[in-house]
Amino acid sequence: MEFQDGIDSAQASGEDFFVPVDEGREHLVVIGNGMAGCRAVEELLARDAGRYRVTIFGAEPHVNYNRIMLSPVLAGEKTFDEIVINTREWYDSNGIDLVTSDPITAIDRASGTVTARSGRVVHYDRLLIATGSDPFIIPVPGKDLPGVISFRDMQDVDAMLAAAAGGGDAVVIGGGLLGLEAAHGLTLRGMKVTVIHLMPTLMERQLDEAAGWLLKTALEARGQTVLTGADTAEIYGKGKVEGVRLKDGRTIPASLVVMAVGIRPSAGLARDAGLAVGRGIQVDDHMVTSDPRVLAVGECVEHDGNVYGLVAPLWDMCRSLADGLTDRHTGYRGSVTSTKLKVAGLDVFSAGDFSGGSECEDIVLRDAARGVYKRVVLKDNRVVGAVLYGDTADGAWYFDLLRKGEDVSDIRDRLIFGQAYALGASAADPLAAVAVMADDAEICGCNGVTKGQVVGCITAGACSLDAVRATCKASASCGSCTGLVENLLALTLGGEVEAGPKTMCKCTSFTHDDVRREIVAQGMRSIPEVMHKLHWSTPDGCSSCRPALNYYLLCALPGEYVDDQQSRFVNERMHANIQKDGTYSVVPRMWGGLTNPRELRAIADVVEKYDAPMVKVTGGQRLDIFGIKKEDLPAVWADLNAAGMVSGHAYGKSLRTVKTCVGSEWCRFGTQDSTGLGVQIERMTWGSWMPHKFKIAASGCPRNCAEATIKDFGVVCVDSGYELSVGGNGGIKVRATDFLCKVATEQEVLDYCAAFTQLYREEARYLERTAPWIERIGVEYVKQRIVEDDVGREALRARFLYSQSFSQEDPWAERAAGRHADLHQHLEPLAPETLAAAE
């Protein structure tokens, strides 16, 4: 049988298996459309795009996708489209012939052809084998029962999703990364999951005993059952899987068993072709096999006696292979590996030899309450291993020290606290930390991108985060290194960084709007859950994201979410405003600006009793008592409570005050009872938490003595009713309100006020006042939602009142009664605004 390039034996059957001839170029055929095969082609295209005609054969029906991100797809955190690395357009635009769902079944090295399952035969000038690895299936009885699957590709994910749709019990055999990710995803999908692991601790190849214990404890706290030291005897069931029996006799019921005990290089095709195969396909430094025309790369190869299952070595191999295919011949010398993972949302990192021993020294930092564990292993004052759990931000730095074998004697006493502290850089200046990183320090572990490559990408014209992601792929996968990439952008370009969608903070690549949407869409219930599901890059967040997340959850889950006081600014925690001399000022609420002798007497008594040096009438018609000592605050609150006064929330991101004039009851020009209306509004809205401070005013006539047209919600009474306006601000940037509508009754004023307040609460970004919010979305949008949509307005009003049924509790009374006393003792400032305007 004779073949010409692109013409195969199936041609006679009339099937269209013709591959066009491209004269003048060698034909590179790639077996494997996975991460290594496509990355090798990417590297080749980057060096010499026209050098080879490329055909890629894939066993799966998909384009190239990020196999590492299958776990987020299983967990429902990403879609398949979001983990695609190269789209169809990429193949087409680069002239690559992609053949999917048609795996190669044979290699004929004598004729220089490969044969696919379909019968297609294709000639090659150079052949690249990138078949990856196969899941290892332990040979126990029942391993072939329906319901027993591996976790390797999208087909496995689809099978797990189908099984999880019916709920029930699942067993995951294997407590390594893949097993724990499968367990995590199935748990999120509603299954009751038991993890069976043969070894005494989880992920024993990546973590030491202490970190493994922390990981096990955290997973159990999330509802999983983890059995270590558990040996599987059989998988039982009649016609389908029904459970797993251990060798100690225990049985665990299961309708789904996921086998995730390891992988093996997929070298069968190469072995059948007569290539040299040991633990994997044996290759030299240029990734050439025992046949000079055949190369191999990725998890299927053995180089210098080593096989690799991590991404970074694969990328190193791909670069060397591309160099060789374009006559540069740099050569691969093996990889020193580190592992930075997010296991079920928990950050872990390990590198080098962390087993320790008599010649080694351990430096350990353990904070179990925060879920942080760090262990650095030294030998002759050089880092030889590191294990990090919970806070892995300095993993790349430790790994860099390990690879270079630097003497760390000078920083030994500070080493465990991380790069910024050890090198004397300020922890508050993240740019200093990235500035001292070496050019070959790894920034993006998912894509094997170094600092030098990111900086080179930026100096070549990538002036935004999206541009960097598109160019060198740094932070384009799991996103955990987004903060580092942004810092490199700022360090390299200064003020020339192009603005893109602004993320909530450096801890995440999500915007405020993304986070709000995902909280609702995924039904998240706590700050740790949000940070976990959205892949926060820090273990505890920061002073920017924690208050925002606390508010978003509080707004989304009224009556259900428990307010996290530790995520509030100090003034909100204390319900008083700390002043520059360390004392506090206290502002009792005066409904609509009204007061009486009893309240005035109580305030006067407090001033005398606690020797307050000043009482000030605020712009919001209340009395501000200055100079209260911290230790006297509970007693002050109790005394004011006894007079019937409650907290004014004078410094919170909440409804502050409703300013009024005297209206028709006393004023010659007053058209309506603006004072009484103001009291009604304040009684309805007090205690409501907002994205920012929120002020209301009601004026009795167009003379507008209550300054209603510079408030967040303003009411101007007129002869024929009430004019409502929104979005005003009397602060640094004065903004007059936008007219919303005119209504006829006080009840309508209350209804529209409640609806507008709820719309602002649900859609504005944290720390965004109504003025910039309306300028961003447009007042017409607000009118559509509040004025033109009667049903929608009523729904907003109802949601606001429902929320208020849980929020109108006086925090002074709670604190005076002893609740949250721990917060009174702990006054570490969380936010940048320890001095805030009272009104």
Side-chain angles (χ1 to χ4, degrees), residues 155-202:
Q155 185 176 352
D156 295 328
V157 172
D158 290 338
M160 280 189 270
L161 292 176
D169 298 292
V171 166
V172 175
I173 302 177
L177 172 64
L178 271 182
L180 298 183
E181 290 287 9
H184 173 60
L186 292 171
T187 300
L188 292 179
R189 294 287 182 177
M191 298 196 81
K192 182 181 178 183
V193 180
T194 299
V195 176
I196 296 173
H197 191 52
L198 179 63
M199 303 306 290
T201 60
L202 297 175

Side-chain angles (χ1 to χ4, degrees), residues 771-816:
W773 172 60
I774 286 179
E775 288 181 352
R776 177 166 63 84
I777 63 172
V779 71
E780 293 304 318
Y781 170 77
V782 178
K783 289 182 177 178
Q784 290 172 10
R785 297 291 304 276
I786 305 297
V787 181
E788 301 169 14
D789 182 357
D790 295 341
V791 175
R793 180 178 66 249
E794 172 56 26
L796 285 165
R797 185 193 72 89
R799 290 201 294 274
F800 178 72
L801 296 182
Y802 177 73
S803 174
Q804 286 296 88
S805 68
F806 302 102
S807 66
Q808 289 189 324
E809 294 183 357
D810 177 28
W812 282 359
E814 294 178 347
R815 200 68 62 83

Side-chain angles (χ1 to χ4, degrees), residues 532-796:
H532 152 60
K533 287 189 173 180
L534 300 186
H535 305 292
W536 240 243
S537 61
T538 54
D540 298 316
C542 67
S543 60
S544 293
C545 61
R546 286 195 69 92
L549 292 178
N550 187 51
Y551 169 73
Y552 292 154
L553 287 161
L554 198 66
C555 182
L557 302 166
E560 180 178 348
Y561 174 72
V562 178
D563 187 27
D564 180 13
Q565 290 285 308
Q566 295 292 354
S567 295
R568 289 199 172 279
F569 298 144
V570 61
N571 291 334
E572 292 184 326
R573 293 204 303 267
M574 295 304 297
H575 302 291
N577 187 30
I578 189 170
Q579 302 297 333
K580 65 180 183 180
D581 65 350
T583 63
Y584 289 80
S585 64
V586 173
V587 184
R589 187 171 294 284
M590 292 179 175
W591 308 103
L594 296 177
T595 187
N596 55 49
R598 186 166 181 258
E599 292 179 348
L600 291 173
R601 191 173 296 113
I603 292 173
D605 289 345
V606 163
V607 171
E608 288 188 346
K609 183 176 180 180
Y610 299 98
D611 197 24
M614 187 173 80
V615 181
K616 173 76 170 61
V617 178
T618 73
Q621 298 178 331
R622 292 183 286 186
L623 292 173
D624 197 348
I625 308 168
F626 283 86
I628 302 298
K629 298 175 184 175
K630 184 183 76 173
E631 58 269 26
D632 290 336
L633 283 172
V636 169
W637 296 330
D639 288 353
L640 293 171
N641 273 164
M645 307 189 79
V646 301
S647 166
H649 294 83
Y651 310 103
K653 305 296 177 278
S654 59
L655 185 280
R656 293 198 170 180
T657 181
V658 179
K659 190 174 183 178
T660 64
C661 66
V662 295
S664 59
E665 186 174 2
W666 294 94
C667 178
R668 290 176 296 137
F669 305 103
T671 63
Q672 311 283 353
D673 179 15
S674 56
T675 309
L677 178 59
V679 172
Q680 290 186 68
I681 294 174
E682 190 161 359
R683 292 282 185 187
M684 178 184 72
T685 54
W686 78 278
S688 55
W689 294 111
M690 306 282 192
H692 210 302
K693 58 186 175 183
F694 193 91
K695 301 177 183 178
I696 301 174
S699 291
C701 77
R703 288 171 177 76
N704 193 17
C705 293
E707 301 169 328
T709 50
I710 56 169
K711 303 299 183 187
D712 296 281
F713 186 86
V715 183
V716 176
C717 304
V718 294
D719 288 333
S720 56
Y722 307 86
E723 294 179 347
L724 310 181
S725 58
V726 295
N729 182 24
I732 295 174
K733 183 180 179 182
V734 178
R735 183 181 191 274
T737 50
D738 291 311
F739 178 73
L740 182 66
C741 64
K742 182 179 177 182
V743 297
T745 67
E746 288 188 347
Q747 186 58 52
E748 288 179 297
V749 173
L750 293 170
D751 293 347
Y752 279 69
C753 177
F756 172 76
T757 304
Q758 186 66 9
L759 183 66
Y760 170 62
R761 295 182 74 237
E762 292 180 354
E763 298 192 2
R765 298 162 185 165
Y766 192 68
L767 297 185
E768 185 177 40
R769 291 288 304 271
T770 60
W773 172 60
I774 286 179
E775 288 181 352
R776 177 166 63 84
I777 63 172
V779 71
E780 293 304 318
Y781 170 77
V782 178
K783 289 182 177 178
Q784 290 172 10
R785 297 291 304 276
I786 305 297
V787 181
E788 301 169 14
D789 182 357
D790 295 341
V791 175
R793 180 178 66 249
E794 172 56 26
L796 285 165

Side-chain angles (χ1 to χ4, degrees), residues 204-487:
E204 71 282 353
R205 292 184 179 180
Q206 290 85 21
L207 302 178
D208 63 8
E209 183 178 355
W213 180 84
L214 284 172
L215 179 60
K216 179 175 181 288
T217 303
L219 295 175
E220 289 173 334
R222 297 181 179 187
Q224 295 178 22
T225 300
V226 181
L227 304 178
T228 53
D231 198 357
T232 303
E234 67 166 332
I235 301 170
Y236 62 88
K238 295 180 179 178
K240 62 181 180 62
V241 65
E242 295 177 8
V244 174
R245 180 174 289 108
L246 303 180
K247 288 185 177 178
D248 61 10
R250 285 180 289 177
T251 58
I252 302 106
S255 57
L256 173 70
V257 172
V258 179
M259 195 88 77
V261 294
I263 55 175
R264 288 176 171 172
S266 180
L269 189 64
R271 184 181 291 107
D272 293 344
L275 295 170
V277 175
R279 298 171 61 197
I281 305 170
Q282 294 177 333
V283 296
D284 65 11
D285 291 351
H286 307 290
M287 314 314 296
V288 178
T289 69
S290 53
D291 182 338
R293 297 174 66 192
V294 182
L295 303 96
V297 71
E299 294 178 342
C300 62
V301 309
E302 173 190 326
H303 174 267
D304 199 20
N306 297 309
V307 295
Y308 298 94
L310 299 172
V311 170
L314 270 57
W315 296 167
D316 292 339
M317 294 179 194
C318 290
R319 285 189 282 270
S320 297
L321 181 144
D323 286 341
L325 284 174
T326 52
D327 302 326
R328 290 169 171 80
H329 302 292
T330 53
Y332 175 64
R333 301 289 184 269
S335 299
V336 179
T337 60
S338 65
T339 309
K340 184 177 181 181
L341 304 168
K342 189 179 280 288
V343 185
L346 305 165
D347 290 311
V348 299
F349 170 88
S350 67
D353 180 7
F354 53 82
S355 59
S358 58
E359 297 180 352
C360 297
E361 300 173 274
D362 286 0
I363 303 176
V364 177
L365 184 153
R366 189 194 310 267
D367 187 345
R370 292 179 59 236
V372 173
Y373 169 80
K374 299 181 180 181
R375 175 166 167 250
V376 178
V377 182
L378 302 182
K379 184 177 182 180
D380 299 329
N381 286 318
R382 287 171 171 76
V383 176
V384 295
V387 178
L388 310 177
Y389 176 91
D391 181 359
T392 60
D394 287 303
W397 180 60
Y398 289 125
F399 184 53
D400 199 40
L401 292 174
L402 184 153
R403 284 194 307 163
K404 294 177 177 175
E406 291 185 2
D407 190 321
V408 296
S409 302
D410 293 343
I411 58 172
R412 189 182 188 286
D413 58 337
R414 307 182 299 277
L415 185 67
I416 198 65
F417 300 110
Q419 181 183 16
Y421 188 83
L423 300 183
S426 168
D429 182 7
L431 298 187
V434 298
V436 299
M437 293 175 72
D439 282 349
D440 58 352
E442 187 177 83
I443 297 295
C444 176
C446 293
N447 294 292
V449 186
T450 65
K451 173 189 172 183
Q453 290 173 304
V454 175
V455 172
C457 169
I458 296 169
T459 54
C463 298
S464 68
L465 180 62
D466 286 343
V468 172
R469 286 174 171 169
T471 308
C472 70
K473 297 185 182 300
S475 84
S477 293
C478 77
S480 62
C481 61
T482 297
L484 283 174
V485 175
E486 289 179 331
N487 289 339

